[in-house]
Amino acid sequence: MAGGRMYTSSCSGGGDSSTLSVLIQSQKGSCSSQPLDASFLSGPSPSPSPFLGSRSMVSFEDIHLANGSNRPFFRPFDHDENGDDDFDEYFHQPEKKRRLTGDQVQFLEKSFEVENKLEPERKIQLAKDLGLQPRQVAIWFQNRRARWKTKQLEKDYEILQNSYNTLKADYDDILKDKEKLKAEVLLLTDKLQLKEKEDKNTELCAVKNTLSQEPPQKPIAESASEGEVSKVSIVACKQEDISSAKSDIFDSDSPHYTDGVHSSLLEAGDSSYVFEPDQSDLSQDEDDNLSKNVLLPPYIFPKLEEADYTDPPTSSCNFGFPIEDHAFWSWSY
DNA sequence: TTGTGTTTTATTGCCTCC
DNA sequence: GGAGGCAATAAAACACAA
C-alpha cells in the first residue's frame, strides 16, 4: 500500500452504537483487511467476523428516517420486485461495486456545494447520516472534485474560445479597414501626383512662352554650341523631373511611384539616380499616365540647373500625415 | 439480447504537508 | 512517517441503439 495508506473499502467493522445500525454483512461476508476507521472501531462489533466494506454498514434507522422505506440507499433494491429473495441474493453476491442511491447522491451533492473539501468530522458525520463508510464518502468527494475540475476546464475552454473568436472577428474587421484605407490613400496619391504634374506643365509652358517672346539676353552656356544647348535643356528638364519625382517618391514612400520614376529614368538613360527596384502593382494605365507626365519636352531652363537635387524630400506630398505616420504602410498585427 | 459507449465507484501510486 | 489530495486507471453499473 503506497504511502502507508490504509484502505477501508473492502472491509470494515464495528458500528455506530448511537444508532440501531445493522451490520448486515457481518453475517456472511469475508474480507481481507482490517477495519480502520476509528469511529467505526469504537463500538464493540456484534460479530467478530468481518464484512464487506461498501455494503458493510447500513443504518436502518437512518434509512427509515430518510425515506420511510426499508432500503432506499441501495439502488439494486429500488427496482426490486422480489423482496427478500433478491435482498438475500444481493448480499450473497461476491463483492461488487454498487452505486449510491439518488438520495445519497443528492445529500452528498448538497454537502459538496457547501464545501468541496471534507474535514474528518464532516466525513464521519456524513457517513453516519448516509449509512456509508467514511472512506466511501471521501472517495465520493474525491471523484466529485475531479468531475468538477473537468467541468471547470471545459467552461474555461469555452470562455477562451469565445474570447478568441471575438478577437479574430475584430482583427478581420480591422484588416479590412486597413486595406480599404490603403487603397484610398493610393487613389488620392495618384490624383495628387497628376495634379502636381499638370500644374508644373502649365507653369513650364507659361515660362516657355514668356522666354520665346523675349530675345535671348545671354546664352545658357556661352561656349555651348546649338546642339550642346539642346543637350543642356534636356538635362535641365530631366533633372527637374527627377527632382520632382524623387520628391514624390520620398513623400509618398510608395513603391508605386518609385517604380514609375525608375522606369522613366531608365528611359532617359540617366543612371545617376539608382532606386531600388520594387515589386509594384502599378497598372498599365497608371504607368502610362506617369510616363506622360514625367517625360517633358526639353525646355531650356537655366535656373533649374542650379537646383539642389540632394535636398531632402519635401513634405508636400505627405497627405497631411507626419513622416512617421508612414509606418502605416508596414502596420500590421 | 448484445455490443458499445458513458458514468460512477474504487484502487494505486505519487506527492505534499505537518 | 502518517494523513490526505490528486491523477491515472480499472472495473462495475448503466444507457441505449441495433
Side-chain angles (χ1 to χ4, degrees):
Chain A
M1 216 162 275
R5 172 169 299 163
M6 297 178 289
Y7 295 110
T8 63
S9 62
S10 61
C11 281
S12 184
D16 185 353
S17 57
S18 67
T19 65
L20 297 175
S21 297
V22 178
L23 304 174
I24 297 170
Q25 283 303 305
S26 67
Q27 298 167 6
K28 296 183 180 178
S30 66
C31 78
S32 57
S33 65
Q34 297 300 312
L36 297 164
D37 192 280
S39 69
F40 289 92
L41 288 171
S42 58
S45 173
S47 166
S49 56
F51 49 88
L52 292 174
S54 62
R55 50 192 138 148
S56 61
M57 184 182 296
V58 176
S59 166
F60 278 92
E61 184 184 64
D62 291 342
I63 292 168
H64 283 298
L65 287 173
N67 272 336
S69 152
N70 279 352
R71 309 149 188 159
F73 286 150
F74 293 126
R75 186 179 292 275
F77 296 128
D78 288 349
H79 31 246
D80 272 351
E81 283 115 24
N82 295 334
D84 287 344
D85 287 346
D86 283 349
F87 183 76
D88 195 48
E89 185 186 344
Y90 177 76
F91 289 109
H92 278 83
Q93 291 173 356
E95 186 179 8
K96 279 186 180 178
K97 245 177 236 182
R98 290 172 45 252
R99 294 200 170 189
L100 307 180
T101 66
D103 291 334
Q104 285 173 317
V105 171
Q106 209 173 346
F107 199 91
L108 288 166
E109 286 285 356
K110 284 215 167 74
S111 184
F112 184 84
E113 280 174 24
V114 174
E115 173 64 56
N116 71 345
K117 288 283 174 80
L118 202 57
E119 303 80 26
E121 298 81 18
R122 192 156 150 252
K123 177 170 70 179
I124 290 167
Q125 188 56 49
L126 275 172
K128 278 183 186 176
D129 292 344
L130 294 169
L132 297 170
Q133 289 184 57
R135 171 72 187 165
Q136 282 181 286
V137 175
I139 289 169
W140 188 90
F141 266 74
Q142 188 73 33
N143 289 322
R144 186 66 184 78
R145 279 195 294 270
R147 287 198 294 273
W148 178 85
K149 192 178 175 185
T150 304
K151 284 251 163 46
Q152 202 60 33
L153 278 173
E154 285 172 1
K155 278 184 185 171
D156 289 348
Y157 175 79
E158 198 174 332
I159 288 168
L160 276 174
Q161 185 143 40
N162 289 338
S163 177
Y164 167 79
N165 289 339
T166 306
L167 276 174
K168 179 81 165 51
D170 287 350
Y171 169 78
D172 289 342
D173 287 347
I174 290 171
L175 211 59
K176 280 178 192 165
D177 285 349
K178 179 193 168 188
E179 292 304 318
K180 199 174 157 187
L181 289 169
K182 202 172 168 181
E184 203 174 321
V185 167
L186 279 176
L187 193 69
L188 291 172
T189 304
D190 280 348
K191 283 183 181 173
L192 189 64
Q193 183 73 16
L194 282 172
K195 191 172 184 305
E196 280 184 354
K197 298 295 177 189
E198 281 169 9
D199 289 349
K200 220 161 267 179
N201 276 346
T202 309
E203 189 183 339
L204 286 173
C205 288
V207 172
K208 183 198 168 192
N209 288 339
T210 306
L211 287 176
S212 64
Q213 284 166 8
E214 292 175 5
Q217 295 171 351
K218 192 179 179 182
I220 293 169
E222 287 193 5
S223 62
S225 65
E226 199 174 325
E228 284 171 327
V229 168
S230 174
K231 200 173 168 183
V232 167
S233 70
I234 291 169
V235 170
C237 285
K238 254 175 20 185
Q239 286 178 336
E240 191 276 337
D241 291 335
I242 290 163
S243 175
S244 168
K246 187 183 167 191
S247 170
D248 290 339
I249 291 162
F250 284 111
D251 288 345
S252 66
D253 198 17
S254 165
H256 174 107
Y257 290 105
T258 303
D259 189 62
V261 170
H262 183 74
S263 56
S264 299
L265 290 173
L266 290 177
E267 282 175 37
D270 190 335
S271 60
S272 59
Y273 291 95
V274 179
F275 298 101
E276 286 292 322
D278 206 338
Q279 305 302 318
S280 170
D281 55 352
L282 186 67
S283 71
Q284 188 58 46
D285 289 343
E286 289 169 331
D287 207 4
D288 289 342
N289 288 339
L290 274 178
S291 298
K292 283 175 196 164
N293 285 307
V294 168
L295 295 175
L296 298 174
Y299 297 125
I300 299 170
F301 255 153
K303 286 183 180 176
L304 289 175
E305 280 185 297
E306 298 164 9
D308 183 3
Y309 303 124
T310 61
D311 280 348
T314 67
S315 58
S316 63
C317 284
N318 284 342
F319 313 114
F321 298 112
I323 295 294
E324 55 266 28
D325 281 355
H326 289 192
F328 169 81
W329 297 109
S330 59
W331 174 65
S332 64
Y333 286 95

